[in-house]
Amino acid sequence: MNRKEIIELLEIENGSKDFYELIRESNNKTREEFNNQAYIFSQIGINASPCSGNCKFCALAENNYLLDNEFEFDTELVVEKARLSFEEGIDDLFIMTTASYPLKNLLNIANTVSEAMPKGKRLVANSGDMSYETALNLKDAGYTGSYHIKRLREGIDTEIPVSQRIDTIEAIQKSGLELYYCLEPIGPEHTLDELAEEILFARDLKVKAMAVMRRIAVPGTKLEKLGQISKLQLIKIAAVTRLASSPTRCMNAHETVEGSLLAGVNQLYAEAGSNPRDDVIETSNNRGLSIKDVRTMLKEYEFNITS
Ligand code: SF4
């Protein structure tokens, strides 16, 4: 699919006949190519403190930090939460940190968690930018993958240079860690051309796990005033992205929109701890879904789950 074809699909009117044809095609591809298999991912935000990334949509940004407190889970607590998550039944566990969280701690966590990790499960770092050497260290410590993206309007709505993000993405792929990718954070201000450009960038990365995420207008963040795209718009973008980027294991749309499970999405996230889209310390008490919630949803849409 080229840029023009992607834009044509993104231009389809939501709720039209073509819209339902688009999501039918994406749904069929996922059900057939992935053998109707679905995946439960769980993310733990292990710290919260004013972050120098200063993303204008984030509750943890240094220049408009929205949480009442700061915190950092100690390694024992992270390991215990990880153990409980695996026990409850998940496929991939994401350890998320703010941009300048110490690498040493991230390595300690992997050393301990990976020992207790059931066979076949994956441990993913969602952390700040890193060198090739650091990516290798993460891999040696027990991480199997890393979530890292070039955000929409990176360097404009964030204080992180695009080149730094791309260097990290290259380092991750070169190190042998699995790269998890996402088109985010999508807002009403992004043009279809911008979306198409990022979808093409993602396609060339040839990832197994792809996602799209809409920006949440978190009250108090700099971009709150721009609002959000609708759920239907997110579902359409998920379908187009799934068809154009062809991930080989799974597709996600975040935050969870049940209708996306009819549009090619076969992977959902449970979330705990800190969350850039939430202004409370423990997102599982607010925006974050539980592992049980996610499992129920996937089952209701008649996916197979092995975790
Ligand atoms: S999105 Fe991540 S990098 Fe950006 S300010 Fe929030 S925690 Fe920092």
Side-chain angles (χ1 to χ4, degrees), residues 51 53-55 57-58 60-61 98-99 151 160:
C51 178
N54 271 329
C55 303
F57 43 82
C58 178
L60 309 176
T98 51
R151 302 177 185 89
I160 309 172

Coordinates of all heavy atoms in Angstrom, one line a residue, residues 51 53-55 57-58 60-61 98-99 151 160, ligand 1:
C51 N 9.1 14.5 34.4 CA 10.0 13.9 33.4 C 10.4 15.0 32.4 O 9.6 15.8 31.9 CB 9.2 12.8 32.7 SG 10.1 12.1 31.3
G53 N 11.2 14.7 29.4 CA 10.7 14.6 28.0 C 9.7 15.7 27.7 O 9.6 16.1 26.6
N54 N 9.0 16.1 28.7 CA 8.1 17.3 28.6 C 7.1 17.1 27.4 O 6.9 18.1 26.7 CB 8.8 18.6 28.5 CG 9.1 19.2 29.9 OD1 8.3 19.0 30.8 ND2 10.2 19.9 30.0
C55 N 6.6 15.9 27.3 CA 5.6 15.7 26.3 C 4.3 16.4 26.7 O 3.8 16.3 27.8 CB 5.3 14.2 26.1 SG 6.9 13.3 25.7
F57 N 1.3 16.1 26.2 CA 0.1 15.4 26.4 C 0.2 14.5 27.7 O -0.7 13.8 28.0 CB -0.2 14.4 25.2 CG 1.1 13.8 24.7 CD1 1.5 12.6 25.3 CD2 1.8 14.3 23.7 CE1 2.7 12.0 24.9 CE2 3.0 13.7 23.2 CZ 3.4 12.6 23.8
C58 N 1.3 14.6 28.4 CA 1.6 13.7 29.4 C 1.4 14.2 30.8 O 1.9 15.3 31.1 CB 3.1 13.2 29.3 SG 3.5 12.0 30.6
L60 N 2.9 13.3 33.4 CA 4.2 13.2 34.1 C 5.2 14.2 33.7 O 6.3 14.3 34.2 CB 4.8 11.8 34.0 CG 3.8 10.6 34.4 CD1 4.5 9.3 34.1 CD2 3.4 10.7 35.8
A61 N 4.8 15.1 32.7 CA 5.8 16.0 32.1 C 6.3 17.0 33.2 O 5.5 17.4 34.1 CB 5.2 16.8 31.0
T98 N 9.8 6.6 33.4 CA 9.9 7.9 32.8 C 11.3 7.9 32.1 O 12.1 7.0 32.2 CB 9.9 9.0 33.9 OG1 10.8 8.6 34.9 CG2 8.5 9.1 34.4
A99 N 11.5 9.0 31.3 CA 12.7 9.0 30.4 C 14.0 8.8 31.1 O 14.9 8.2 30.5 CB 12.7 10.3 29.6
R151 N 7.2 9.5 18.1 CA 5.8 10.0 18.3 C 5.4 10.9 17.1 O 6.3 11.5 16.5 CB 5.7 10.7 19.6 CG 6.0 9.9 20.8 CD 5.9 10.7 22.1 NE 6.4 10.0 23.2 CZ 7.6 10.0 23.7 NH1 8.6 10.6 23.0 NH2 7.9 9.3 24.8
I160 N 12.1 15.9 22.9 CA 13.0 14.9 22.5 C 13.2 14.9 21.0 O 12.3 14.9 20.2 CB 12.5 13.5 22.9 CG1 12.1 13.5 24.4 CG2 13.5 12.4 22.7 CD1 11.3 12.3 24.9
Ligands
SF4_1 S1 5.4 10.5 27.7 FE1 7.2 9.5 28.6 S2 8.9 10.7 27.9 FE2 7.1 12.0 27.6 S3 7.0 13.3 29.5 FE3 5.7 11.4 29.7 S4 7.0 10.0 30.8 FE4 8.3 11.5 29.9

